[in-house]
Amino acid sequence: SKVQQIATLEQLKTIGRELAMGSQGGFGQSKEFLDLVKSIGEARSKAEEDRIVLTEIETLKRRIAEPDTTRRKMKEYIIRLLYIEMLGHDASFGYIHAVKMTHCDSLILKRTGYLAVTLFLNEDHDLIILIVNTIQKDLKSDNYLVVCAALNAVCRLINEETIPAVLPQVVELLEHPKEAVRKKAVMALHRFYQRSSSSVSHLVSNFRKRLCDSDPGVMGATLCPLFDLITIDVNSYKDLVVSFVSILKQVAERRLPKSYDYHQMPAPFIQIKLLKILCLLGNGDKQSSEHMYTVVGDIMRKCDLTSNIGNAILYESICCVSSIHPNPKLIDAAADAISKFLKSDSHNLKYMGIDALGRLIKISPETAEQHQLAVIDCLEDPDDTLKRKTFELLYKMTKSTNVEVIVDRMIDYMISINDTHYKTETASRCVELAEQFAPSNNWFIQTMNKVFEHAGDLVNSKVAHNLMRLIAEGFGKDDDTADSQLRSSAVESYVCIIGEPKLPSAFLQVICWVLGEYGTVDGNYTASYVTGKLCDVAEAHSSDDTVKAYAVTALMKIYAFEIAAGRKLDMLPECQSLIEELSASHSTDLQQRAYELQAVIGLEAQAVENVMPVDASCEDIEIDKSLSFLDSYVQESFEKGAQPYIPESERYGAVNMSNFRNQDQHDASTHALRFEAYELPKPTIAGRTPTVSSSTELVPLVPDPQPTYAREIYQTPSVPSVSDTGSSEYKLRLDGVQKKWGRPNYSTPAPSNTNSDSHKTANGETQRDGAGNVKSRARDASYDSRRSPQVEISPEKQKLAASLFGGMSQSKNKQSGGGHKASKTTNRAAEKTHMVKEVTAPVQPTQDLLDMGEPTIVSSVSSVDPFKQLEGLLDITQDASAQSSGSVGATNAPDITSFYAEMSASGPNNIDGVDMISGLSGVSNRTPGGSTTIHTPQLNKGAIRKDSLEKDALVRQMGVTPSGQNPNLFSDLLG
Amino acid sequence: MIRAVIVMNDKGKPRLVKFYEFQPVEKQQELIRSIYGVLCSRAEKVSNFIRADSILGPDARLVYKTYATLYFVFIFDTSENELAILDLMQVFVEALDKCFSNVCELDIVFNFNKVHSILDEIILGGQVIETSSSEVVKAVEEAYRCSSSNSSFTPVVN
């Protein structure tokens, strides 16, 4: 009851204040707006919400159009427009009023106008042109707040065409006395660079200049554009390595004013950005990397591991260590840091640990093994993000010894998730790993079956083609028995699986193709058995024309093989009726196949054998693309006065038959395999006339980025009656393809090889070397082991660990020689760096971040690096000689030094500020018991509690009492 | 770079939406819905990170954190560090707290233009420009102080 009394008292107080304030709410908005928010908040359905918003839109349309609307009212309407657009409704009718508001002189209205236009309009909107003028004017304003508001708009609204209109002012503002303006001008210029690098390419040097800005905040902001520039072109910025290192060193040594501290770390966001930049600059560059070792090592040592931001810096350091030229000491430190991450209870840190491990194993593969159990824990973690990250790591460290365990796990995971995107990704990774590292035929086939069964319709159609090709080609020419074993096990498993319901189309296509090609070859299954199965498939998937097409072609092959083998053709009645049905199909493709089948089986054995040779999918089909055998006929016709052929491309407006055909195919089967060949490159058609062609000349294929499989599928109709095996429908052409398992087929499609191969075969000197020894097994060789698991862990987990990482211990002996050598060299390297350090250390005086940009000294020492000459100028504490030069620096650059002096002089204030921040975070943050937690906020919060009570009462009074739906509308975000 | 900052409540209602690359309104809504869907499915006591490439294209990553009734969501690419973004979020919320003394969801609803100003001091064009909440508050307060003194010159007819 006492509580009630207090509450009533509070309410009474609020009512009083409310009355005094009139209709304006405590939040500066009108009652109408509060009502709107309230009713939307209480809407019970999306439809109800939409109704409310539509009414609001009507109201606003009316109000805005009223002639006597005051500007303050208009401001509120625009905010309400923003609000309804945030809820997903169209507010475009009010855009023009937002544009008008940017023209207002009043800063608050102008700011609202700019805010509204940046949220409403994209940079290509027609209304922008009405704002550019205002922006130009505002950029010249004396009031820096107006300039800031305009710069905010510039960052969002200026496109390539309008850049020139504001560029001069923006460049001018880079020198503005207010650091807030300089910072925003840097960002605006950066944005221009992103929009259109060519229009500001001559101004890029400004970023270098701003790196030496007297204000560390501006310097920090400049790191953003520099990071992007360095990402694009590392080599042009190598000269800044020393500068970046020196800045980072000074930041880490707390030479920046206290106000840049965050959670007791000196300017951590700047440190992170700098580490990212060093990461780029040191990548693959030993010389640059050597500059970085000391500072990165220092930072790793200094990181406060109890705070989130400290760990962020540590993580960034690991990334840096993994990217720059390897340094054994740093790698060890990074490995230690990773183990701290992985051992942490925080999922965030575990995630970062897994990510960092994935980076570090690239240069130090043995690190993975130290953390195997932690990795397995993460794999079983309920957190999906962590799990996914861990699978990514496993994918990176797969090799032939652990592929089975990893792929099995990945498949289980793939089956367990519903998200199509990740299912597809996991499926293609499984396929990739299986192709690359498959230990046996049987395992490979079984794995592919599982992947196709669960994600067949998600994986790229390439994958299906590749599987067919692998089954057709096997491991390589040298081992025919292995090849036929692979095919037999494929056929065997497919015969079992084919009857299962709900198999994806792509998988059925593969099954049909393989059964047609190899179903009866090894004699385990009779033709009638296999054809019966194929008929069942065609019937069960009567709506899938592609599957039916594959099935009927497979039937044709089996019948052809039977006839060729001299056996009596005994067609099952259901096959008969299927073929009859398909001859009358609406799909002309199916019709054609059915008729071709009937034609083929009507031929005599000898002819059939020529048309449909057994296991000929890998054979080359020689195609005389120039149709040279028609030369004499053509010549004859010319002599009789016939017109020369005009290529398709030159006949303007002619109906492009091949396009028709493509469309037709796509409609029928959007997800299915493509049957038709890719269009030949146009130029070859254009430049060709029949008289020029000779029999030896092949159409020169332009090497294109299409993967090789694109050209492996042959389509007879496009080359009518040319090839010897012309009637053998669609076949895989497998010449020029590396005979091996694996990724290289995908990732290194060597179209030129394929072409040259086909040239050769056409010229009769068929000579293909099956030397596909590009086998990228480089990964597994590099893994070796130092330790085996020593911790006591459940045997199950140990087993898993052994299977995941165990391969490494086996290869230990093999690797030890190399490893020894490696360690020797690294020792030597370490010695070297040590020596270098000893030599250079005394020479190099401590540098100070803030001595940059002093022009007189710059010219006296060197003209390139403003940092270098200023090194040590301000170092008063350490070195006597440096001190003297420091005083010189002070006199030469009074503005900068005094600036810093001021900063340190105002220490107490800053410290207060810092304490408050850290205190706040201490309450909300994840460092319980950490020494950083300061208890002032409790007091702080206590005072504020009353505040929130008042706020609550106030809103209640205004009729926006939160309903039961959201009782926590008032809960303190940081409480 | 940071691609978007979204604040929404635990019912999925957006409270602040800022995309640093323009997105049409419908697309924004669709993204907010799918992000909300993902956030809802997250268990408690898991990491604050989500790979968002299925929602926002390759390399997109998402960091979220709940403050009372609100989800704060930052979406960004590989050039940012997840842990640091988490702290940036903290900076943002601390700045809000300083501006609205004891900030709650309703403050953000009713003052969302001011909330935008605060965010604009921290992130500009998708890049982080300020990481000290006191500096942010100072800048915003200054702008508002000038605004109000400024507006006193403009005759207000109510």
Side-chain angles (χ1 to χ4, degrees):
Chain A
S1 62
K2 210 169 194 181
V3 179
Q4 262 178 344
Q5 270 181 0
I6 295 172
T8 339
L9 204 73
E10 287 287 345
Q11 277 189 358
L12 283 172
K13 265 191 217 164
T14 324
I15 293 169
R17 198 172 316 134
E18 177 61 19
L19 287 171
M21 272 195 278
S23 68
Q24 279 272 316
F27 294 96
Q29 318 293 353
S30 76
K31 175 92 165 58
E32 259 180 4
F33 182 53
L34 300 192
D35 279 343
L36 172 73
V37 173
K38 181 199 166 203
S39 51
I40 287 174
E42 288 173 355
R44 307 212 167 262
S45 65
K46 180 76 181 135
E48 195 183 335
E49 182 190 305
D50 287 350
R51 255 195 321 276
I52 296 166
V53 174
L54 288 177
T55 323
E56 168 74 5
I57 289 175
E58 287 313 311
T59 315
L60 284 174
K61 272 186 183 160
R62 215 171 44 241
R63 294 283 181 78
I64 282 181
E66 280 168 12
D68 57 343
T69 311
T70 62
R71 287 199 289 190
R72 181 184 282 185
K73 275 273 172 212
M74 188 58 92
K75 175 186 163 230
E76 191 199 299
Y77 297 151
I78 283 170
I79 288 171
R80 279 155 73 176
L81 284 173
L82 285 171
Y83 188 73
I84 59 170
E85 194 162 284
M86 184 171 74
L87 294 174
H89 296 266
D90 177 39
S92 55
F93 63 90
Y95 289 178
I96 185 69
H97 297 281
V99 172
K100 275 192 208 154
M101 189 150 279
T102 60
H103 306 336
C104 290
D105 291 329
S106 148
L107 179 62
I108 189 142
L109 296 180
K110 193 182 271 299
R111 281 175 67 104
T112 307
Y114 276 134
L115 170 67
V117 290
T118 55
L119 290 173
F120 283 147
L121 308 179
N122 74 12
E123 53 181 34
D124 299 321
H125 198 284
D126 293 339
L127 289 174
I128 299 283
I129 206 72
L130 299 176
I131 308 171
V132 173
N133 215 357
T134 318
I135 291 179
Q136 280 181 318
K137 205 181 83 210
D138 289 346
L139 288 176
K140 289 179 193 148
S141 168
D142 293 336
N143 184 344
Y144 86 96
L145 291 167
V146 173
V147 177
C148 283
L151 282 172
N152 277 352
V154 161
C155 282
R156 183 57 187 267
L157 298 176
I158 296 299
N159 67 9
E160 192 171 354
E161 282 159 42
T162 37
I163 287 175
V166 294
L167 190 57
Q169 280 105 317
V170 170
V171 173
E172 215 167 281
L173 292 173
L174 290 170
E175 311 284 343
H176 197 277
K178 275 279 184 185
E179 64 276 1
V181 175
R182 291 202 300 274
K183 217 184 321 188
K184 287 182 178 175
V186 166
M187 285 307 165
L189 194 58
H190 180 212
R191 198 70 172 170
F192 295 163
Y193 184 82
Q194 290 176 328
R195 288 280 162 277
S196 156
S197 55
S198 58
S199 52
V200 292
S201 51
H202 58 293
L203 297 165
V204 164
S205 60
N206 279 294
F207 294 129
R208 284 167 175 262
K209 219 160 149 196
R210 281 304 120 207
L211 190 61
C212 314
D213 196 283
S214 61
D215 180 73
V218 180
M219 181 277 291
T222 311
L223 296 176
C224 300
L226 282 171
F227 175 78
D228 279 8
L229 289 166
I230 293 169
T231 309
I232 294 162
D233 176 17
V234 183
N235 290 327
S236 309
Y237 293 89
K238 293 280 186 189
D239 58 313
L240 288 180
V241 170
V242 184
S243 314
F244 287 129
V245 168
S246 118
I247 298 174
L248 182 56
K249 189 159 178 255
Q250 294 168 73
V251 174
E253 285 171 355
R254 297 181 180 273
R255 281 158 184 272
L256 289 189
K258 263 264 180 227
S259 61
Y260 287 90
D261 282 8
Y262 175 83
H263 293 192
Q264 276 80 46
M265 294 294 291
F269 294 94
I270 292 178
Q271 287 196 45
I272 287 169
K273 236 358 289 177
L274 281 166
L275 283 166
K276 278 189 182 293
I277 288 173
L278 294 186
C279 191
L280 295 172
L281 288 168
N283 186 268
D285 181 346
K286 193 169 177 229
Q287 205 187 345
S288 299
S289 300
E290 275 164 1
H291 288 291
M292 306 172 187
Y293 292 151
T294 323
V295 70
V296 175
D298 284 350
I299 286 173
M300 289 177 87
R301 228 170 299 125
K302 278 182 196 161
C303 277
D304 166 22
L305 298 179
T306 57
S307 76
N308 190 59
I309 197 71
N311 285 311
I313 296 174
L314 187 55
Y315 162 80
E316 214 53 65
S317 312
I318 301 170
C319 295
C320 189
V321 169
S322 319
S323 165
I324 62 177
H325 188 81
N327 172 293
K329 264 190 198 159
L330 288 180
I331 290 173
D332 286 348
D336 285 350
I338 287 175
S339 71
K340 273 178 207 142
F341 281 158
L342 291 175
K343 279 178 197 148
S344 155
D345 287 333
S346 150
H347 281 87
N348 288 349
L349 293 186
K350 279 187 192 168
Y351 174 92
M352 296 319 256
I354 293 283
D355 183 274
L357 187 56
R359 292 167 190 268
L360 194 64
I361 54 170
K362 282 183 199 151
I363 55 162
S364 168
E366 65 277 6
T367 325
E369 204 211 343
Q370 301 166 18
H371 304 298
Q372 43 183 308
L373 292 165
V375 171
I376 290 162
D377 279 342
C378 292
L379 207 55
E380 281 156 8
D381 198 277
D383 184 353
D384 208 45
T385 309
L386 187 54
K387 214 184 247 181
R388 228 165 251 173
K389 194 84 202 169
T390 314
F391 275 115
E392 214 167 275
L393 173 69
L394 290 182
Y395 166 73
K396 283 182 198 158
M397 47 181 267
T398 306
K399 50 199 160 68
S400 43
T401 47
N402 59 14
V403 65
E404 288 171 84
V405 191
I406 290 178
V407 172
D408 282 354
R409 288 243 154 191
M410 282 169 84
I411 288 176
D412 287 346
Y413 177 67
M414 181 191 82
I415 295 170
S416 75
I417 54 174
N418 291 318
D419 185 314
T420 350
H421 181 86
Y422 295 114
K423 227 184 170 103
T424 314
E425 188 186 79
T426 315
S428 17
R429 283 183 172 175
C430 288
V431 171
E432 191 186 316
L433 293 176
E435 285 177 0
Q436 200 173 347
F437 301 114
S440 73
N441 290 336
N442 202 34
W443 181 86
F444 176 75
I445 296 291
Q446 295 302 333
T447 303
M448 292 307 251
N449 285 354
K450 272 189 234 161
V451 173
F452 272 87
E453 222 178 304
H454 295 284
D457 283 335
L458 299 173
V459 294
N460 196 313
S461 58
K462 289 183 219 179
V463 176
H465 273 288
N466 217 39
L467 176 58
M468 289 190 256
R469 193 177 58 211
L470 283 169
I471 290 171
E473 289 179 343
F475 286 109
K477 266 187 174 175
D478 44 328
D479 192 356
D480 284 342
T481 39
D483 290 358
S484 54
Q485 268 169 12
L486 172 67
R487 291 168 191 161
S488 298
S489 55
V491 168
E492 200 176 321
S493 80
Y494 290 166
V495 165
C496 294
I497 221 171
I498 196 170
E500 280 181 22
K502 288 183 188 165
L503 289 181
S505 181
F507 190 29
L508 285 166
Q509 290 161 30
V510 174
I511 291 176
C512 287
W513 187 85
V514 171
L515 289 185
E517 203 68 36
Y518 304 110
T520 53
V521 169
D522 58 7
N524 288 345
Y525 300 99
T526 64
S528 71
Y529 180 76
V530 179
T531 52
K533 290 274 181 195
L534 288 167
C535 272
D536 291 347
V537 169
E539 268 161 37
H541 300 84
S542 54
S543 58
D544 189 338
D545 279 358
T546 319
V547 169
K548 279 201 280 189
Y550 267 87
V552 72
T553 304
L555 284 177
M556 176 171 72
K557 284 182 196 160
I558 289 171
Y559 290 142
F561 299 157
E562 285 297 294
I563 294 168
R567 283 191 285 269
K568 189 177 173 296
L569 188 65
D570 190 15
M571 198 186 269
L572 294 173
E574 62 249 47
C575 295
Q576 207 111 42
S577 60
L578 175 72
I579 291 160
E580 270 159 32
E581 183 203 317
L582 294 183
S583 332
S585 168
H586 285 299
S587 154
T588 47
D589 177 61
L590 289 177
Q591 261 194 45
Q592 186 181 349
R593 285 164 194 266
Y595 281 116
E596 278 175 1
L597 185 151
Q598 284 165 327
V600 168
I601 59 176
L603 299 171
E604 58 171 282
Q606 188 58 41
V608 171
E609 200 180 353
N610 279 329
V611 171
M612 269 290 171
V614 178
D615 187 20
S617 63
C618 300
E619 300 299 315
D620 303 320
I621 300 170
E622 288 178 35
I623 292 185
D624 184 358
K625 285 199 177 105
S626 62
L627 313 186
S628 58
F629 58 91
L630 289 174
D631 281 355
S632 56
Y633 174 78
V634 170
Q635 205 58 43
E636 207 176 298
S637 303
F638 277 144
E639 279 156 18
K640 285 178 187 163
Q643 290 296 308
Y645 174 73
I646 302 166
E648 221 169 8
S649 54
E650 290 171 22
R651 278 173 288 169
Y652 183 72
V655 181
N656 192 332
M657 285 310 287
S658 63
N659 276 356
F660 262 117
R661 202 187 143 69
N662 286 349
Q663 266 162 15
D664 187 75
Q665 279 285 348
H666 283 298
D667 288 344
S669 53
T670 10
H671 298 292
L673 301 169
R674 281 185 70 176
F675 283 91
E676 73 278 12
Y678 282 79
E679 295 78 18
L680 287 173
K682 283 281 184 232
T684 62
I685 303 166
R688 186 156 293 275
T689 52
T691 41
V692 198
S693 59
S694 72
S695 60
T696 47
E697 204 178 349
L698 267 173
V699 180
L701 286 173
V702 180
D704 61 18
Q706 293 275 13
T708 47
Y709 68 84
R711 255 177 267 105
E712 286 156 22
I713 307 151
Y714 250 83
Q715 189 202 29
T716 328
S718 66
V719 197
S721 65
V722 179
S723 72
D724 309 4
T725 46
S727 51
S728 72
E729 279 237 355
Y730 310 112
K731 285 214 151 195
L732 290 178
R733 202 183 61 165
L734 297 147
D735 51 324
V737 174
Q738 288 167 345
K739 303 281 180 187
K740 65 187 176 60
W741 300 94
R743 179 154 48 184
N745 280 341
Y746 277 154
S747 57
T748 54
S752 50
N753 280 348
T754 317
N755 290 342
S756 61
D757 267 355
S758 59
H759 274 259
K760 278 183 195 162
T761 48
N763 294 340
E765 20 173 353
T766 314
Q767 185 213 39
R768 284 188 286 132
D769 61 316
N773 39 16
V774 197
K775 252 178 201 174
S776 70
R777 296 211 169 181
R779 286 195 216 170
D780 51 346
S782 56
Y783 284 81
D784 80 341
S785 72
R786 274 186 199 159
R787 284 163 252 182
S788 44
Q790 329 94 318
V791 202
E792 277 179 54
I793 304 288
S794 78
E796 209 174 297
K797 243 179 218 174
Q798 274 183 337
K799 213 171 127 194
L800 179 60
S803 46
L804 281 177
F805 302 87
M808 294 182 274
S809 5
Q810 279 170 9
S811 60
K812 190 180 176 181
N813 294 336
K814 204 169 63 186
Q815 290 279 322
S816 61
H820 197 66
K821 212 187 276 169
S823 66
K824 229 187 217 165
T825 50
T826 46
N827 279 345
R828 209 176 300 145
E831 266 171 42
K832 222 182 211 171
T833 47
H834 199 227
M835 267 166 56
V836 171
K837 222 182 354 187
E838 274 174 11
V839 176
T840 51
V843 185
Q844 201 160 15
T846 351
Q847 300 158 348
D848 200 311
L849 176 58
L850 292 158
D851 316 338
M852 327 166 202
E854 169 43 57
T856 50
I857 303 185
V858 174
S859 55
S860 69
V861 188
S862 100
S863 55
V864 195
D865 187 355
F867 287 90
K868 259 194 180 153
Q869 315 86 28
L870 295 168
E871 283 171 1
L873 283 188
L874 276 180
D875 193 2
I876 306 156
T877 51
Q878 289 185 349
D879 196 320
S881 63
Q883 195 173 21
S884 62
S885 65
S887 58
V888 175
T891 48
N892 279 352
D895 49 338
I896 305 169
T897 38
S898 61
F899 168 74
Y900 273 93
E902 263 172 46
M903 293 307 257
S904 49
S906 63
N909 293 339
N910 287 330
I911 289 163
D912 278 354
V914 172
D915 282 353
M916 207 170 78
I917 304 167
S918 62
L920 271 174
S921 67
V923 171
S924 67
N925 225 358
R926 53 264 110 203
T927 51
S931 59
T932 52
T933 317
I934 295 159
H935 292 285
T936 43
Q938 293 298 36
L939 199 137
N940 202 352
K941 286 288 163 193
I944 293 168
R945 186 120 305 139
K946 211 174 89 200
D947 232 37
S948 78
L949 218 70
E950 277 171 18
K951 221 185 265 176
D952 182 302
L954 170 65
V955 190
R956 273 170 207 283
Q957 276 312 300
M958 284 163 27
V960 279
T961 322
S963 66
Q965 278 202 326
N966 200 352
N968 297 321
L969 213 49
F970 299 98
S971 48
D972 182 0
L973 293 185
L974 277 174
Chain B
M1 101 176 238
I2 293 170
R3 294 203 199 157
V5 173
I6 297 169
V7 178
M8 62 174 110
N9 71 4
D10 48 13
K11 303 280 182 303
K13 201 154 290 239
R15 293 308 189 194
L16 174 85
V17 178
K18 185 129 194 163
F19 283 91
Y20 291 96
E21 304 270 308
F22 184 82
Q23 301 281 358
V25 180
E26 308 78 48
K27 178 78 180 159
Q28 289 188 11
Q29 294 300 309
E30 190 193 316
L31 292 172
I32 292 168
R33 269 196 301 278
S34 35
I35 290 168
Y36 180 64
V38 175
L39 293 182
C40 286
S41 66
R42 299 282 294 166
E44 271 178 53
K45 289 183 185 168
V46 292
S47 64
N48 297 72
F49 314 141
I50 295 171
R51 266 178 66 197
D53 45 352
S54 63
I55 304 173
L56 289 136
D59 286 347
R61 294 186 279 174
L62 184 158
V63 167
Y64 72 99
K65 191 167 180 198
T66 35
Y67 288 92
T69 51
L70 293 177
Y71 285 117
F72 280 70
V73 179
F74 280 46
I75 298 154
F76 51 93
D77 63 19
T78 45
S79 64
E80 308 289 335
N81 168 325
E82 280 102 334
L83 287 175
I85 291 286
L86 214 47
D87 271 300
L88 193 67
M89 215 177 264
Q90 180 72 16
V91 169
F92 182 37
V93 178
E94 279 171 16
L96 290 174
D97 197 62
K98 284 175 190 166
C99 272
F100 299 117
S101 67
N102 205 23
V103 65
C104 66
E105 182 176 345
L106 216 58
D107 287 311
I108 292 174
V109 177
F110 288 140
N111 295 289
F112 93 133
N113 50 337
K114 193 169 186 183
V115 176
H116 270 289
S117 315
I118 294 169
L119 186 59
D120 284 347
E121 290 298 324
I122 300 174
I123 302 167
L124 184 58
Q127 304 288 348
V128 182
I129 53 167
E130 182 56 69
T131 52
S132 148
S133 59
S134 332
E135 291 295 318
V136 170
V137 174
K138 219 189 319 174
V140 173
E141 296 289 326
E142 195 164 355
Y144 271 77
R145 202 169 43 243
C146 284
S147 303
S148 47
S149 66
N150 202 342
S151 65
S152 65
F153 291 109
T154 28
V156 179
V157 192
N158 225 339

